[in-house]
Amino acid sequence: VSRFRFRLMYLLGKTRWDSGITPPEVVEAFEEGEIPPGTALDLGCGTGTNAIFMAQHGREVIGLDFAREAIVRAKRKARAAGVADRVDVRVADVTRLARLSLPPIAFALDIGCFHGLPTEGQQRYASDLAQLMTPGGRYMLYTHDPDEARSANFGISQEDVRALFSEAFTITRQEHGEFRGGGTTWFWMARRT
Ligand SMILES: C[S@@+](CC[C@H](N)C(=O)[O-])C[C@H]1O[C@@H](n2cnc3c(N)ncnc32)[C@H](O)[C@@H]1O
Protein backbone atom coordinates (compact mmCIF):
# COMPACT_ATOMS: atom_id res chain seq x y z
CA VAL A 1 0.00 0.00 0.00
CA SER A 2 1.46 3.35 -0.99
CA ARG A 3 2.31 6.21 1.30
CA PHE A 4 -0.23 8.36 -0.49
CA ARG A 5 -3.00 5.84 0.26
CA PHE A 6 -2.08 5.57 3.91
CA ARG A 7 -2.00 9.35 4.27
CA LEU A 8 -5.41 9.56 2.65
CA MET A 9 -6.81 6.85 4.93
CA TYR A 10 -5.61 8.77 8.00
CA LEU A 11 -7.04 12.02 6.61
CA LEU A 12 -10.40 10.40 5.93
CA GLY A 13 -10.42 8.39 9.15
CA LYS A 14 -10.61 5.10 7.20
CA THR A 15 -8.27 3.45 9.66
CA ARG A 16 -10.08 0.44 11.05
CA TRP A 17 -6.86 -0.91 12.56
CA ASP A 18 -6.51 2.18 14.75
CA SER A 19 -8.43 0.77 17.71
CA GLY A 20 -6.49 2.54 20.45
CA ILE A 21 -5.98 -0.84 22.12
CA THR A 22 -2.65 -2.61 22.57
CA PRO A 23 -3.03 -6.28 21.55
CA PRO A 24 -3.09 -8.79 24.44
CA GLU A 25 -0.01 -10.55 22.97
CA VAL A 26 2.04 -7.38 23.48
CA VAL A 27 0.60 -6.67 26.92
CA GLU A 28 1.41 -10.23 27.96
CA ALA A 29 5.00 -10.05 26.68
CA PHE A 30 5.65 -6.93 28.78
CA GLU A 31 3.83 -8.21 31.84
CA GLU A 32 5.57 -11.59 31.76
CA GLY A 33 8.94 -9.84 31.70
CA GLU A 34 9.91 -11.22 28.28
CA ILE A 35 11.01 -7.87 26.93
CA PRO A 36 14.63 -6.88 27.64
CA PRO A 37 15.35 -3.35 28.86
CA GLY A 38 16.61 -0.86 26.31
CA THR A 39 15.23 1.10 23.40
CA ALA A 40 12.03 -0.15 21.77
CA LEU A 41 11.21 0.47 18.12
CA ASP A 42 7.67 0.51 16.70
CA LEU A 43 7.77 0.03 12.92
CA GLY A 44 4.72 1.57 11.24
CA CYS A 45 3.58 2.99 14.57
CA GLY A 46 0.44 4.70 13.28
CA THR A 47 -1.08 7.02 15.88
CA GLY A 48 1.24 5.73 18.59
CA THR A 49 -1.02 3.57 20.79
CA ASN A 50 1.63 0.87 21.22
CA ALA A 51 4.58 3.27 21.40
CA ILE A 52 2.83 5.00 24.30
CA PHE A 53 2.09 1.64 25.95
CA MET A 54 5.79 0.73 25.79
CA ALA A 55 6.82 4.13 27.22
CA GLN A 56 4.37 3.56 30.06
CA HIS A 57 6.26 0.31 30.65
CA GLY A 58 9.49 2.18 31.18
CA ARG A 59 10.99 2.02 27.69
CA GLU A 60 12.54 4.74 25.57
CA VAL A 61 10.57 4.35 22.35
CA ILE A 62 11.18 5.29 18.75
CA GLY A 63 8.13 5.11 16.50
CA LEU A 64 8.38 5.32 12.72
CA ASP A 65 5.60 5.88 10.22
CA PHE A 66 5.66 7.38 6.75
CA ALA A 67 2.19 8.95 7.15
CA ARG A 68 2.66 12.46 8.55
CA GLU A 69 -0.99 12.58 9.66
CA ALA A 70 -0.45 9.54 11.90
CA ILE A 71 2.73 10.99 13.44
CA VAL A 72 1.03 14.29 14.25
CA ARG A 73 -1.62 12.36 16.16
CA ALA A 74 0.95 10.13 17.84
CA LYS A 75 2.81 13.21 19.15
CA ARG A 76 -0.41 14.68 20.48
CA LYS A 77 -1.38 11.38 22.17
CA ALA A 78 2.08 11.00 23.73
CA ARG A 79 1.85 14.51 25.20
CA ALA A 80 -1.64 13.82 26.55
CA ALA A 81 -0.39 10.57 28.11
CA GLY A 82 2.51 12.41 29.75
CA VAL A 83 5.20 10.31 28.02
CA ALA A 84 6.32 12.72 25.27
CA ASP A 85 9.83 12.77 26.78
CA ARG A 86 10.18 9.01 26.16
CA VAL A 87 8.39 8.70 22.81
CA ASP A 88 10.31 9.84 19.75
CA VAL A 89 7.93 9.46 16.81
CA ARG A 90 9.20 10.33 13.37
CA VAL A 91 7.99 10.50 9.79
CA ALA A 92 10.25 7.87 8.22
CA ASP A 93 10.26 4.95 5.82
CA VAL A 94 10.78 1.56 7.49
CA THR A 95 12.33 0.22 4.29
CA ARG A 96 15.21 2.71 4.77
CA LEU A 97 16.20 2.03 8.37
CA ALA A 98 19.93 2.27 7.72
CA ARG A 99 19.55 5.96 6.85
CA LEU A 100 18.05 6.89 10.19
CA SER A 101 21.05 6.55 12.54
CA LEU A 102 19.03 4.68 15.14
CA PRO A 103 20.49 3.44 18.44
CA PRO A 104 20.76 -0.31 19.19
CA ILE A 105 17.27 -1.77 19.55
CA ALA A 106 16.37 -4.23 22.33
CA PHE A 107 12.75 -4.73 21.26
CA ALA A 108 11.07 -4.20 17.91
CA LEU A 109 7.34 -4.32 17.25
CA ASP A 110 5.56 -4.40 13.93
CA ILE A 111 1.79 -4.61 13.91
CA GLY A 112 0.44 -4.69 10.40
CA CYS A 113 3.15 -2.81 8.53
CA PHE A 114 5.62 -5.40 7.18
CA HIS A 115 3.17 -7.48 5.15
CA GLY A 116 2.15 -4.46 3.06
CA LEU A 117 5.67 -3.52 1.93
CA PRO A 118 7.03 -4.29 -1.55
CA THR A 119 9.25 -7.39 -1.63
CA GLU A 120 12.47 -5.43 -2.04
CA GLY A 121 11.51 -3.20 0.89
CA GLN A 122 10.82 -6.28 3.02
CA GLN A 123 14.29 -7.61 2.27
CA ARG A 124 16.00 -4.34 3.17
CA TYR A 125 13.87 -3.97 6.32
CA ALA A 126 14.75 -7.50 7.46
CA SER A 127 18.50 -7.09 6.98
CA ASP A 128 18.64 -3.55 8.41
CA LEU A 129 16.60 -4.56 11.45
CA ALA A 130 18.93 -7.50 12.10
CA GLN A 131 21.85 -5.03 12.08
CA LEU A 132 20.14 -2.71 14.55
CA MET A 133 19.04 -5.27 17.10
CA THR A 134 21.08 -6.17 20.14
CA PRO A 135 21.95 -9.89 20.50
CA GLY A 136 19.07 -11.56 22.34
CA GLY A 137 16.80 -8.62 21.46
CA ARG A 138 13.15 -9.48 20.85
CA TYR A 139 10.98 -8.81 17.84
CA MET A 140 7.21 -9.27 17.64
CA LEU A 141 5.61 -9.21 14.21
CA TYR A 142 1.92 -9.38 13.29
CA THR A 143 1.13 -10.09 9.66
CA HIS A 144 -1.82 -10.79 7.43
CA ASP A 145 -1.77 -13.79 5.11
CA PRO A 146 -1.76 -13.18 1.37
CA ASP A 147 -5.22 -12.31 0.07
CA GLU A 148 -5.49 -12.29 -3.71
CA ALA A 149 -9.06 -11.03 -3.45
CA ARG A 150 -7.82 -7.84 -1.83
CA SER A 151 -4.73 -7.19 -3.88
CA ALA A 152 -1.97 -9.14 -5.59
CA ASN A 153 0.63 -7.85 -3.16
CA PHE A 154 -1.33 -7.80 0.09
CA GLY A 155 -0.11 -10.04 2.86
CA ILE A 156 2.81 -12.41 3.38
CA SER A 157 2.98 -16.16 3.97
CA GLN A 158 4.49 -17.67 7.09
CA GLU A 159 7.10 -19.36 4.87
CA ASP A 160 8.18 -16.04 3.39
CA VAL A 161 8.51 -14.47 6.85
CA ARG A 162 10.65 -17.41 7.96
CA ALA A 163 12.81 -17.16 4.85
CA LEU A 164 13.43 -13.45 5.44
CA PHE A 165 14.18 -13.55 9.16
CA SER A 166 15.42 -16.99 10.18
CA GLU A 167 19.08 -16.37 9.42
CA ALA A 168 19.37 -13.54 11.95
CA PHE A 169 16.49 -14.42 14.27
CA THR A 170 15.26 -17.51 16.08
CA ILE A 171 11.51 -17.79 15.74
CA THR A 172 10.56 -18.78 19.27
CA ARG A 173 6.78 -18.92 18.82
CA GLN A 174 4.25 -18.49 16.06
CA GLU A 175 0.46 -18.35 16.25
CA HIS A 176 -2.02 -18.30 13.45
CA GLY A 177 -5.34 -16.54 13.94
CA GLU A 178 -8.13 -14.82 12.14
CA PHE A 179 -9.17 -11.21 11.83
CA ARG A 180 -12.26 -10.07 9.95
CA GLY A 181 -12.32 -13.25 7.90
CA GLY A 182 -8.63 -13.21 6.91
CA GLY A 183 -5.70 -15.22 8.29
CA THR A 184 -3.15 -13.52 10.50
CA THR A 185 0.04 -14.63 12.21
CA TRP A 186 1.91 -13.46 15.29
CA PHE A 187 5.64 -14.23 15.29
CA TRP A 188 7.84 -13.98 18.36
CA MET A 189 11.53 -13.78 17.47
CA ALA A 190 14.85 -13.34 19.23
CA ARG A 191 17.96 -11.88 17.61
CA ARG A 192 20.58 -14.61 17.41
CA THR A 193 23.67 -13.96 19.51
C1 LIG B 1 -2.25 -1.30 9.33
S1 LIG B 1 -1.44 0.14 9.88
C2 LIG B 1 -0.98 -0.30 11.55
C3 LIG B 1 -0.56 0.88 12.38
C4 LIG B 1 -0.15 0.55 13.83
N1 LIG B 1 0.95 -0.38 13.89
C5 LIG B 1 -1.33 0.05 14.62
O1 LIG B 1 -1.31 -1.11 15.03
O2 LIG B 1 -2.28 0.83 14.85
C6 LIG B 1 0.13 0.09 9.00
C7 LIG B 1 0.97 1.34 9.23
O3 LIG B 1 2.23 1.19 8.56
C8 LIG B 1 2.58 2.42 7.97
N2 LIG B 1 3.52 2.12 6.88
C9 LIG B 1 3.29 1.35 5.79
N3 LIG B 1 4.39 1.30 5.01
C10 LIG B 1 5.34 2.04 5.64
C11 LIG B 1 6.68 2.37 5.34
N4 LIG B 1 7.30 1.94 4.23
N5 LIG B 1 7.36 3.15 6.21
C12 LIG B 1 6.77 3.62 7.33
N6 LIG B 1 5.50 3.35 7.67
C13 LIG B 1 4.79 2.57 6.83
C14 LIG B 1 1.25 3.03 7.54
O4 LIG B 1 1.30 4.42 7.36
C15 LIG B 1 0.34 2.61 8.69
O5 LIG B 1 0.32 3.58 9.70
Side-chain angles (χ1 to χ4, degrees):
V1 185
S2 71
R3 173 175 174 150
F4 175 75
R5 260 198 73 202
F6 270 113
R7 293 191 63 186
L8 198 62
M9 288 191 274
Y10 279 108
L11 271 174
L12 301 176
K14 292 197 182 288
T15 49
R16 293 203 302 176
W17 61 82
D18 192 19
S19 65
I21 296 166
T22 293
E25 290 80 357
V26 176
V27 175
E28 187 189 291
F30 275 87
E31 289 183 351
E32 305 279 304
E34 289 166 21
I35 307 303
T39 306
L41 177 67
D42 188 350
L43 298 124
C45 65
T47 67
T49 302
N50 302 305
I52 291 165
F53 170 85
M54 296 192 282
Q56 288 167 335
H57 283 73
R59 302 307 192 281
E60 296 284 332
V61 186
I62 299 170
L64 308 174
D65 203 291
F66 67 2
R68 185 171 301 279
E69 291 71 16
I71 293 298
V72 167
R73 281 183 225 175
K75 285 192 175 148
R76 206 183 297 142
K77 279 167 62 174
R79 273 197 304 274
V83 292
D85 56 331
R86 262 179 287 140
V87 175
D88 168 9
V89 280
R90 312 182 189 169
V91 178
D93 185 346
V94 300
T95 68
R96 299 284 175 189
L97 294 172
R99 290 184 182 169
L100 301 177
S101 54
L102 296 170
I105 302 299
F107 178 62
L109 177 67
D110 183 318
I111 302 181
C113 178
F114 186 76
H115 68 251
L117 303 173
T119 307
E120 198 188 299
Q122 288 174 338
Q123 286 162 350
R124 216 165 28 232
Y125 167 134
S127 61
D128 289 353
L129 183 63
Q131 290 294 312
L132 281 172
M133 299 230 19
T134 54
R138 299 300 165 115
Y139 174 41
M140 285 178 70
L141 170 65
Y142 176 81
T143 60
H144 282 262
D145 295 349
D147 183 353
E148 297 290 334
R150 259 182 93 156
S151 142
N153 34 23
F154 179 86
I156 187 164
S157 70
Q158 297 176 40
E159 294 69 33
D160 286 350
V161 170
R162 288 187 162 271
L164 283 163
F165 289 99
S166 58
E167 197 182 310
F169 293 86
T170 312
I171 299 178
T172 54
R173 182 175 158 203
Q174 189 176 317
E175 262 169 37
H176 198 248
E178 206 197 284
F179 185 70
R180 298 199 172 108
T184 60
T185 308
W186 266 109
F187 297 89
W188 287 257
M189 307 192 209
R191 178 73 172 91
R192 292 184 193 276
T193 49

